[in-house]
């Protein structure tokens, strides 16, 4: 009897189908929400700005409605991924959210087509069409599975982990070195390290099966949040940069957003209500590059599901899990576009949380998904989470993201490592990931090659591993 596949199993958060008490499930689900909440909203904020949909331009109400929908859709698509509706959903402990992988192509489209609601509508129309395309691709995944042996999926997972570690460090230091004046300050790093220390103590110095250990991420983040609030009350909130301008420290907790948020709001559908200014526009100039990126997303989703199942359940993902996960990725993104939300894909941050805690319980993760839905209906709850300082999240993120890298290593070492595997891994990560993740390395290449292979390094590493796996012959023992 497998603890990961038998629905009758009860009483353990380490079984996907296990039925656990609500008092245990809620904190386990909330720590997943904490890990992805800001990352779920940030891409939407960036693209709204690129399209000129700013509060100063009179789109304040529209922005609030879109952020509200982003939380609602993330919760709904996560539930579909875990419970499945027919072939849609892999029944895996994957948390879905707004993808940041599309930011480059979206910003490029906005720069080409110009700012405005028409451009945003063109992005939504392209996401609707391209999401369906990825869903169809998911149905064809089984015959393509032979191109994804452990050495390939392991390389993809390691590339995902490597790409996320700098993101975790940026969180820890307060945001981004280019835009955060107090980036890397003692308070920012100290706040993040406090969260990390609390997590380590609870994880390894308490009962490993107890609530304190399994909820260590949530408790650590809450501890850092409380300390940040105290610091906000007792220390100056602003400083002066080298140019003499005043700035607010990254660790400051500002409750204005919570005070201004409504207690309840009904989500709006694109073209109606608060989203009446946005309409679906089907433009080939937007559809083609976005469709290409959805192929890339399918590869990343295969890697995320492989890492999650390997790290959380100690086995390889099945054909149905990978196929259903990719279908949910595509159709979930199409659903998101109807609510004016950017594509919803598997969140690598939460894969790291699963691999670190080994908590794969569907009921626990469902509590987190339901909380996201409630945030979509009650903007004030969402505001409380969205104002959490980035250094607080960084303390947990560094450890979680690195654990994804470890899952990739576990995947490639499931079988004996021969000279063939060493070559594939070395070239895929060294050349593929190295070129893709190094700023400017692909700057002289054609536009679409830059679009696909530049940025995170995940895609060139994946294609490199797949190509070498096909080309390099296997030798008999």
């Amino acid at each position: 009897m497998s603890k990961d596949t038998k629905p009758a199993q009860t009483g353990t958060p380490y079984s996907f189908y296990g039925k656990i008490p609500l008092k245990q499930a809620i904190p386990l689900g909330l720590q997943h929400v904490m890990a992805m909440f800001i990352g779920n909203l940030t891409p939407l904020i960036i693209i709204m700005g690129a399209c000129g949909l700013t509060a100063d331009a009179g789109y304040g109400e529209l922005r609030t409605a879109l952020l509200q929908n982003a939380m609602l859709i993330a919760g709904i698509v996560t539930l579909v991924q875990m419970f499945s509706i027919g072939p849609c959903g892999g029944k895996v402990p994957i948390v879905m959210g707004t993808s940041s992988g599309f930011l480059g192509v979206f910003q490029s489209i906005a720069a080409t087509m110009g700012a405005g609601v028409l451009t945003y509508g063109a992005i939504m129309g392209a996401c609707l069409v391209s999401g369906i395309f990825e869903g169809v691709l998911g149905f064809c995944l089984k015959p393509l599975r032979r191109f994804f042996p452990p050495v390939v999926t392991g390389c993809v997972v390691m590339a995902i982990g490597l790409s996320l570690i700098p993101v975790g460090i940026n969180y820890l230091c307060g945001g981004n070195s280019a835009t955060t004046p107090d980036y890397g300050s003692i308070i920012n790093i100290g706040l993040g390290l406090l969260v990390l220390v609390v997590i380590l103590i609870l994880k390894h110095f308490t009962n490993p099966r107890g609530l304190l250990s399994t909820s260590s991420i949530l408790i650590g983040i809450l501890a850092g949040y409380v300390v940040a609030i105290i610091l906000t009350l007792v220390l100056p909130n602003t400083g002066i940069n080298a140019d003499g301008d005043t700035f607010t420290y990254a660790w400051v907790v500002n409750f204005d957003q919570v005070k201004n948020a409504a207690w309840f709001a009904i989500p709006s559908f694109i073209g109606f209500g608060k989203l009446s200014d946005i309409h679906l526009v089907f433009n080939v100039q937007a559809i083609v590059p976005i469709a290409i990126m959805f192929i890339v997303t399918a590869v990343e989703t295969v890697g995320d599901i492989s890492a999650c199942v390997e790290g959380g359940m100690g086995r390889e993902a099945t054909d149905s899990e990978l196929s259903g996960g990719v279908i949910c990725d595509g159709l979930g993104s199409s659903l998101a576009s109807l609510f004016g939300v950017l594509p919803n894909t598997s969140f690598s941050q939460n894969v790291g949380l699963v691999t670190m805690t080994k908590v794969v319980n569907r009921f626990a993760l469902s509590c987190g998904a339901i909380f996201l839905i409630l945030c979509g209906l009650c903007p004030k709850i969402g505001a409380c989470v969205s104002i959490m300082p980035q250094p607080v999240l960084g303390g947990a993120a560094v450890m979680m993201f690195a654990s994804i890298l470890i899952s990739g290593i576990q995947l490639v070492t499931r079988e004996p490592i021969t000279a063939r595997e060493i070559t594939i891994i070395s070239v895929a990560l060294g050349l593929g990931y190295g070129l893709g993740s190094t700023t400017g390395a692909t700057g002289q290449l054609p536009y679409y090659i830059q679009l696909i292979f530049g940025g995170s390094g995940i895609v060139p590493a994946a294609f490199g591993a797949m190509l070498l796996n096909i080309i390099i012959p296997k030798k008999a023992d």
Side-chain angles (χ1 to χ4, degrees):
M1 181 184 297
S2 170
K3 70 176 183 178
D4 297 323
T5 59
K6 198 69 174 176
Q9 274 272 332
T10 61
T12 170
Y14 307 100
S15 167
F16 184 66
Y17 293 103
K19 297 177 182 178
I20 61 176
L22 193 62
K23 65 179 181 180
Q24 187 180 23
I26 289 177
L28 294 178
L30 284 181
Q31 66 184 7
H32 274 279
V33 175
M34 297 294 184
M36 59 80 71
F37 200 91
I38 291 180
N40 183 50
L41 300 179
T42 301
L44 191 58
I45 293 172
I46 293 173
I47 298 306
M48 285 190 295
C51 291
L53 307 183
T54 63
D56 294 338
Y59 293 105
E61 188 178 51
L62 173 64
R63 288 170 62 88
T64 301
L66 290 174
L67 292 173
Q68 176 188 350
N69 285 357
M71 294 180 285
L72 176 74
I73 293 298
I76 292 174
V77 179
T78 297
L79 290 177
V80 174
Q81 184 69 277
M82 288 189 292
F83 289 88
S84 81
I85 299 177
C88 183
K91 292 187 177 180
V92 287
I94 289 283
V95 174
M96 309 292 284
T98 307
S99 173
S100 60
F102 290 81
L103 286 179
V105 65
F106 288 158
Q107 288 177 314
S108 177
I109 290 171
T112 302
M113 299 182 63
V117 290
L118 286 178
T119 297
Y120 195 85
I123 291 175
M124 291 299 105
C127 289
L128 175 64
V129 174
S130 302
I132 295 173
F133 168 66
E134 186 190 0
V136 173
L137 186 64
F139 282 102
C140 306
L141 197 63
K142 186 174 181 179
L144 299 175
R145 179 70 191 275
R146 63 191 181 91
F147 296 110
F148 297 95
V151 66
V152 174
T153 54
C155 282
V156 176
V157 171
M158 284 192 284
I160 291 172
L162 288 170
S163 68
L164 285 174
I165 288 175
V167 176
I169 293 296
N170 279 334
Y171 278 159
L172 181 74
C173 294
N176 187 295
S177 59
T179 57
T180 306
D182 63 331
Y183 181 87
S185 69
I186 293 177
I187 296 182
N188 287 345
I189 295 178
L191 197 57
L193 291 179
L194 170 68
V195 174
L196 182 58
V197 169
V198 172
I199 292 171
L200 292 175
I201 291 174
L202 295 178
K203 182 68 179 174
H204 296 286
F205 294 92
T206 62
N207 180 3
R209 299 289 178 174
L211 184 61
L212 289 178
S213 179
T214 54
S215 303
S216 58
I217 301 289
L218 174 64
I219 298 173
I221 290 175
L222 290 177
Y225 199 175
V226 170
V227 172
I229 292 174
I230 295 173
L231 292 176
T232 301
L233 296 175
V234 301
L235 295 179
N237 292 179
T238 59
I240 300 177
N241 62 19
D243 297 327
D245 299 323
T246 302
F247 67 91
T248 302
Y249 292 119
W251 47 264
V252 170
V253 181
N254 188 341
F255 286 100
D256 288 344
Q257 186 176 336
V258 179
K259 183 170 62 176
N260 297 330
W263 280 106
F264 178 78
I266 299 174
S268 300
F269 191 75
I270 193 168
F272 299 92
K274 295 179 181 178
L275 303 187
S276 58
D277 290 338
I278 302 175
H279 299 278
L280 291 173
V281 177
F282 299 100
N283 188 307
V284 176
Q285 190 176 9
I287 292 174
V288 172
I290 290 177
I292 293 173
M293 285 307 301
F294 267 93
I295 298 175
V296 173
T297 295
V299 175
E300 292 188 25
T301 298
V302 168
D304 279 341
I305 294 175
S306 299
C308 191
V309 174
E310 167 67 29
M313 299 178 176
R315 62 174 175 80
E316 285 189 51
T318 64
D319 290 336
S320 63
E321 288 171 338
L322 293 176
S323 177
V326 172
I327 293 171
C328 182
D329 229 42
L331 299 186
S333 296
S334 294
L335 173 67
S337 69
L338 297 177
F339 287 84
V341 178
L342 303 183
N344 264 239
T345 65
S346 58
F347 246 58
S348 298
Q349 293 94 319
N350 296 83
V351 173
L353 184 55
V354 168
T355 57
M356 191 178 76
T357 63
K358 310 299 180 186
V359 174
V360 296
N361 185 265
R362 181 167 66 174
F363 180 57
L365 270 68
S366 297
C367 288
I370 292 171
F371 180 78
L372 282 171
I373 294 173
L374 291 176
C375 288
L377 298 174
C378 180
K380 197 173 286 289
I381 296 177
C384 289
V385 182
S386 65
I387 64 173
M388 185 181 302
Q390 291 199 45
V392 173
L393 292 174
V398 170
M399 187 174 179
M400 290 188 300
F401 296 168
S403 67
I404 297 176
L405 175 63
I406 301 303
S407 294
I409 295 173
Q410 289 175 327
L411 273 172
V412 299
T413 56
R414 288 185 71 90
E415 299 175 358
I417 300 293
T418 65
R420 178 180 183 274
E421 279 71 35
I422 291 175
T423 299
I424 293 174
I425 297 168
S426 299
V427 176
L429 292 181
L431 183 62
Y433 178 80
L435 284 174
S437 62
T438 303
T439 303
T442 58
Q444 300 299 318
L445 298 178
Y447 170 71
Y448 282 105
I449 295 180
Q450 292 183 50
L451 197 64
I452 299 170
F453 292 99
S456 68
I458 297 172
V459 179
F463 277 95
M466 284 188 288
L467 184 63
L468 291 173
N469 181 62
I470 295 171
I471 294 175
I472 299 177
K474 294 183 179 180
K475 295 181 180 180
D477 291 337

